[in-house]
Amino acid sequence: MIVTNTETVAGYEITEIRGIVQGNTVRAKHLGRDIMAGLKNVVGGELKGYTELLTESRRQAIERMMAQADELGANAVVNVRFTTSAVTQGAAELYAYGTAVIVEPATMS
């Protein structure tokens, strides 16, 4: 499946739009990560625990979005966007969405 944040796919033609698809995940922070993040606030540097948490969340949201596109019979998702929001104190949502489409290789005319 092709997943892109552009409105078109180079070398392909969109022949059908199947609809908007989305995937999300809500993750809570781990106490150990909070302690390490607190220490990092003192000395500075990357908060690797949070970086890993967001990377895993983004991957899971994309997988769920792709599964929904697959259910609609699409072979590509275009115009993919991400957003985050705080759900409660200590928990955040990562949301991915885009448009499920059917693409075919562009024909030379």
Side-chain angles (χ1 to χ4, degrees), residues 2-88:
I2 299 170
V3 177
T4 180
N5 62 354
T6 59
E7 294 180 3
T8 60
V9 180
Y12 289 84
E13 180 180 348
I14 295 174
T15 60
E16 191 173 333
I17 296 172
R18 291 296 174 105
I20 294 172
V21 288
Q22 58 87 28
N24 69 326
T25 183
V26 177
R27 299 282 177 114
K29 294 182 281 187
H30 181 277
L31 178 61
R33 287 181 176 151
D34 284 344
I35 292 171
M36 293 305 293
L39 293 174
K40 280 286 187 178
N41 282 335
V42 174
V43 297
E46 180 181 8
L47 303 175
K48 291 183 181 179
Y50 289 149
T51 299
E52 291 171 5
L53 179 71
L54 287 174
T55 300
E56 175 66 21
S57 297
R58 189 171 33 253
R59 183 191 59 74
Q60 188 172 48
I62 289 173
E63 286 177 358
R64 290 177 177 172
M65 180 186 69
M66 289 171 52
Q68 191 176 37
D70 192 48
E71 289 174 6
L72 295 175
N75 63 358
V77 181
V78 296
N79 213 17
V80 173
R81 300 289 185 260
F82 295 95
T83 184
T84 60
S85 62
V87 175
T88 65

